[in-house]
Short mmCIF file of all heavy atoms in Angstrom, two decimals:
data_model
loop_
_atom_site.label_atom_id
_atom_site.label_comp_id
_atom_site.label_asym_id
_atom_site.label_seq_id
_atom_site.Cartn_x
_atom_site.Cartn_y
_atom_site.Cartn_z
N ILE D 310 -5.70 -65.34 -70.06
CA ILE D 310 -6.36 -65.08 -68.83
C ILE D 310 -6.40 -66.35 -67.96
O ILE D 310 -7.08 -67.39 -68.15
CB ILE D 310 -7.82 -64.62 -69.14
CG1 ILE D 310 -7.82 -63.50 -70.20
CG2 ILE D 310 -8.49 -64.11 -67.88
CD1 ILE D 310 -9.19 -63.19 -70.72
N PRO D 311 -5.56 -66.45 -66.94
CA PRO D 311 -5.36 -67.77 -66.19
C PRO D 311 -6.47 -67.87 -65.07
O PRO D 311 -6.16 -68.09 -63.97
CB PRO D 311 -3.99 -67.53 -65.55
CG PRO D 311 -3.81 -66.11 -65.34
CD PRO D 311 -4.67 -65.34 -66.42
N ILE D 312 -7.67 -67.75 -65.53
CA ILE D 312 -8.92 -67.88 -64.66
C ILE D 312 -9.73 -69.02 -65.31
O ILE D 312 -10.02 -68.97 -66.44
CB ILE D 312 -9.61 -66.55 -64.52
CG1 ILE D 312 -8.75 -65.51 -64.09
CG2 ILE D 312 -10.81 -66.85 -63.52
CD1 ILE D 312 -9.40 -64.09 -64.03
N ARG D 313 -10.18 -69.91 -64.43
CA ARG D 313 -11.05 -71.09 -65.05
C ARG D 313 -12.44 -70.62 -65.11
O ARG D 313 -13.15 -70.86 -66.06
CB ARG D 313 -10.89 -72.23 -64.17
CG ARG D 313 -11.12 -73.53 -64.89
CD ARG D 313 -10.94 -74.74 -63.90
NE ARG D 313 -11.59 -74.60 -62.66
CZ ARG D 313 -13.01 -74.77 -62.49
NH1 ARG D 313 -13.71 -75.23 -63.48
NH2 ARG D 313 -13.52 -74.54 -61.26
N LYS D 314 -12.96 -69.95 -64.08
CA LYS D 314 -14.35 -69.69 -64.04
C LYS D 314 -14.68 -68.34 -63.35
O LYS D 314 -14.13 -68.01 -62.29
CB LYS D 314 -15.05 -70.79 -63.19
CG LYS D 314 -16.52 -70.91 -63.36
CD LYS D 314 -16.99 -72.00 -62.36
CE LYS D 314 -18.21 -72.81 -62.91
NZ LYS D 314 -18.57 -73.87 -62.02
N ILE D 315 -15.45 -67.45 -64.03
CA ILE D 315 -15.93 -66.19 -63.44
C ILE D 315 -17.43 -66.36 -63.27
O ILE D 315 -18.10 -66.69 -64.27
CB ILE D 315 -15.57 -65.08 -64.40
CG1 ILE D 315 -14.07 -65.07 -64.63
CG2 ILE D 315 -16.05 -63.74 -63.86
CD1 ILE D 315 -13.66 -64.10 -65.87
N ALA D 316 -17.95 -66.04 -62.25
CA ALA D 316 -19.38 -66.11 -61.90
C ALA D 316 -20.05 -64.69 -61.83
O ALA D 316 -19.59 -63.89 -61.18
CB ALA D 316 -19.67 -66.99 -60.73
N VAL D 317 -21.19 -64.62 -62.52
CA VAL D 317 -21.97 -63.41 -62.36
C VAL D 317 -23.39 -63.82 -61.93
O VAL D 317 -24.20 -64.27 -62.70
CB VAL D 317 -22.07 -62.71 -63.74
CG1 VAL D 317 -22.90 -61.36 -63.59
CG2 VAL D 317 -20.58 -62.29 -64.27
N MET D 318 -23.61 -63.62 -60.72
CA MET D 318 -24.93 -64.24 -60.08
C MET D 318 -25.89 -63.07 -59.65
O MET D 318 -25.41 -62.12 -58.93
CB MET D 318 -24.59 -65.08 -58.95
CG MET D 318 -23.41 -66.07 -59.13
SD MET D 318 -23.67 -67.12 -60.61
CE MET D 318 -24.89 -68.24 -59.91
N GLY D 319 -27.09 -63.27 -59.81
CA GLY D 319 -28.03 -62.28 -59.51
C GLY D 319 -28.31 -61.91 -58.08
O GLY D 319 -28.64 -60.85 -57.61
N CYS D 320 -28.31 -63.05 -57.29
CA CYS D 320 -28.77 -62.86 -55.92
C CYS D 320 -28.05 -63.94 -55.04
O CYS D 320 -27.28 -64.77 -55.51
CB CYS D 320 -30.30 -63.08 -55.85
SG CYS D 320 -30.80 -64.79 -55.94
N VAL D 321 -28.50 -64.01 -53.78
CA VAL D 321 -27.79 -64.85 -52.79
C VAL D 321 -28.36 -66.19 -52.73
O VAL D 321 -27.80 -67.01 -52.00
CB VAL D 321 -27.92 -64.20 -51.43
CG1 VAL D 321 -26.95 -62.93 -51.29
CG2 VAL D 321 -29.32 -63.90 -51.01
N VAL D 322 -29.48 -66.55 -53.52
CA VAL D 322 -30.02 -67.93 -53.45
C VAL D 322 -29.06 -68.95 -53.89
O VAL D 322 -28.72 -69.85 -53.18
CB VAL D 322 -31.42 -67.98 -54.16
CG1 VAL D 322 -31.82 -69.48 -54.21
CG2 VAL D 322 -32.41 -67.14 -53.45
N ASN D 323 -28.67 -68.84 -55.16
CA ASN D 323 -27.69 -69.80 -55.59
C ASN D 323 -26.20 -69.18 -55.74
O ASN D 323 -25.23 -69.78 -55.88
CB ASN D 323 -27.95 -70.46 -57.07
CG ASN D 323 -29.22 -71.24 -56.90
OD1 ASN D 323 -29.28 -72.16 -56.00
ND2 ASN D 323 -30.16 -71.06 -57.81
N GLY D 324 -26.31 -67.77 -55.76
CA GLY D 324 -25.09 -66.98 -56.11
C GLY D 324 -23.80 -67.43 -55.36
O GLY D 324 -23.01 -68.01 -55.96
N PRO D 325 -23.77 -67.20 -54.17
CA PRO D 325 -22.50 -67.44 -53.47
C PRO D 325 -22.13 -68.85 -53.57
O PRO D 325 -20.84 -69.18 -53.70
CB PRO D 325 -22.71 -67.10 -51.95
CG PRO D 325 -23.81 -66.10 -52.06
CD PRO D 325 -24.71 -66.59 -53.20
N GLY D 326 -23.09 -69.92 -53.56
CA GLY D 326 -22.72 -71.27 -53.66
C GLY D 326 -22.03 -71.55 -54.92
O GLY D 326 -21.01 -72.21 -54.99
N GLU D 327 -22.48 -70.91 -56.09
CA GLU D 327 -21.82 -71.11 -57.37
C GLU D 327 -20.55 -70.29 -57.38
O GLU D 327 -19.57 -70.74 -57.93
CB GLU D 327 -22.77 -70.65 -58.58
CG GLU D 327 -23.89 -71.56 -58.84
CD GLU D 327 -23.45 -72.96 -59.29
OE1 GLU D 327 -22.35 -73.07 -59.83
OE2 GLU D 327 -24.18 -73.95 -58.97
N ALA D 328 -20.67 -69.11 -56.92
CA ALA D 328 -19.46 -68.17 -56.98
C ALA D 328 -18.28 -68.67 -56.22
O ALA D 328 -17.18 -68.47 -56.58
CB ALA D 328 -19.93 -66.78 -56.55
N LYS D 329 -18.53 -69.57 -55.20
CA LYS D 329 -17.48 -70.09 -54.40
C LYS D 329 -16.67 -71.03 -55.27
O LYS D 329 -15.47 -71.15 -55.15
CB LYS D 329 -18.01 -70.84 -53.23
CG LYS D 329 -18.18 -70.11 -51.95
CD LYS D 329 -18.53 -70.98 -50.80
CE LYS D 329 -18.95 -70.12 -49.64
NZ LYS D 329 -19.71 -70.93 -48.63
N ASP D 330 -17.35 -71.71 -56.28
CA ASP D 330 -16.71 -72.69 -57.15
C ASP D 330 -15.88 -71.98 -58.15
O ASP D 330 -15.05 -72.56 -58.82
CB ASP D 330 -17.82 -73.44 -57.81
CG ASP D 330 -17.29 -74.64 -58.54
OD1 ASP D 330 -16.27 -75.23 -58.03
OD2 ASP D 330 -17.85 -74.90 -59.58
N ALA D 331 -16.00 -70.59 -58.28
CA ALA D 331 -15.28 -69.80 -59.32
C ALA D 331 -14.09 -69.08 -58.69
O ALA D 331 -14.16 -68.69 -57.48
CB ALA D 331 -16.35 -68.84 -59.86
N GLU D 332 -13.15 -68.91 -59.43
CA GLU D 332 -11.88 -68.10 -58.94
C GLU D 332 -12.39 -66.67 -58.62
O GLU D 332 -11.85 -66.11 -57.69
CB GLU D 332 -10.80 -68.02 -60.09
CG GLU D 332 -9.98 -69.20 -60.01
CD GLU D 332 -10.48 -70.33 -60.93
OE1 GLU D 332 -11.68 -70.58 -61.03
OE2 GLU D 332 -9.65 -71.07 -61.56
N ILE D 333 -13.25 -66.07 -59.47
CA ILE D 333 -13.86 -64.68 -59.07
C ILE D 333 -15.34 -64.78 -59.38
O ILE D 333 -15.70 -65.42 -60.32
CB ILE D 333 -13.17 -63.66 -60.09
CG1 ILE D 333 -11.69 -63.65 -59.97
CG2 ILE D 333 -13.70 -62.35 -59.79
CD1 ILE D 333 -11.03 -62.62 -60.88
N GLY D 334 -16.00 -64.21 -58.46
CA GLY D 334 -17.44 -64.18 -58.63
C GLY D 334 -18.08 -62.93 -58.09
O GLY D 334 -17.43 -62.17 -57.30
N ILE D 335 -19.22 -62.64 -58.59
CA ILE D 335 -19.92 -61.40 -58.09
C ILE D 335 -21.38 -61.89 -57.85
O ILE D 335 -22.03 -62.67 -58.63
CB ILE D 335 -19.90 -60.16 -59.16
CG1 ILE D 335 -20.55 -58.95 -58.56
CG2 ILE D 335 -20.50 -60.61 -60.44
CD1 ILE D 335 -20.38 -57.77 -59.50
N ALA D 336 -22.02 -61.57 -56.75
CA ALA D 336 -23.40 -61.83 -56.48
C ALA D 336 -24.13 -60.64 -55.90
O ALA D 336 -23.64 -60.11 -54.94
CB ALA D 336 -23.49 -63.10 -55.52
N GLY D 337 -25.28 -60.44 -56.41
CA GLY D 337 -26.10 -59.31 -55.95
C GLY D 337 -26.58 -59.48 -54.54
O GLY D 337 -26.88 -60.67 -54.19
N VAL D 338 -26.48 -58.49 -53.70
CA VAL D 338 -27.17 -58.55 -52.36
C VAL D 338 -28.20 -57.28 -52.24
O VAL D 338 -28.21 -56.49 -53.16
CB VAL D 338 -26.05 -58.46 -51.18
CG1 VAL D 338 -25.27 -59.75 -51.22
CG2 VAL D 338 -25.22 -57.22 -51.40
N LYS D 339 -28.94 -57.42 -51.21
CA LYS D 339 -29.96 -56.38 -51.07
C LYS D 339 -29.43 -54.88 -51.06
O LYS D 339 -28.28 -54.72 -50.82
CB LYS D 339 -30.73 -56.56 -49.79
CG LYS D 339 -31.56 -57.84 -49.65
CD LYS D 339 -32.98 -57.65 -49.79
CE LYS D 339 -33.71 -58.90 -50.11
NZ LYS D 339 -35.06 -58.76 -50.64
N GLY D 340 -30.18 -54.02 -51.45
CA GLY D 340 -29.92 -52.61 -51.36
C GLY D 340 -28.96 -52.08 -52.33
O GLY D 340 -28.03 -51.29 -52.07
N GLY D 341 -28.98 -52.51 -53.60
CA GLY D 341 -28.14 -52.08 -54.63
C GLY D 341 -26.66 -52.38 -54.50
O GLY D 341 -25.88 -51.64 -54.97
N LYS D 342 -26.40 -53.44 -53.76
CA LYS D 342 -24.95 -53.84 -53.56
C LYS D 342 -24.69 -55.17 -54.21
O LYS D 342 -25.50 -55.96 -54.51
CB LYS D 342 -24.63 -53.80 -52.11
CG LYS D 342 -24.80 -52.42 -51.52
CD LYS D 342 -24.07 -52.29 -50.15
CE LYS D 342 -23.96 -50.77 -49.74
NZ LYS D 342 -23.07 -50.66 -48.58
#
Side-chain angles (χ1 to χ4, degrees):
Chain D
I310 309 164
I312 305 173
R313 205 181 49 79
K314 202 184 209 177
I315 302 167
V317 181
M318 315 303 287
C320 77
V321 290
V322 171
N323 296 312
E327 287 299 330
K329 268 188 194 168
D330 192 35
E332 275 90 324
I333 302 181
I335 186 174
V338 290
K339 293 259 166 196
K342 296 199 167 188

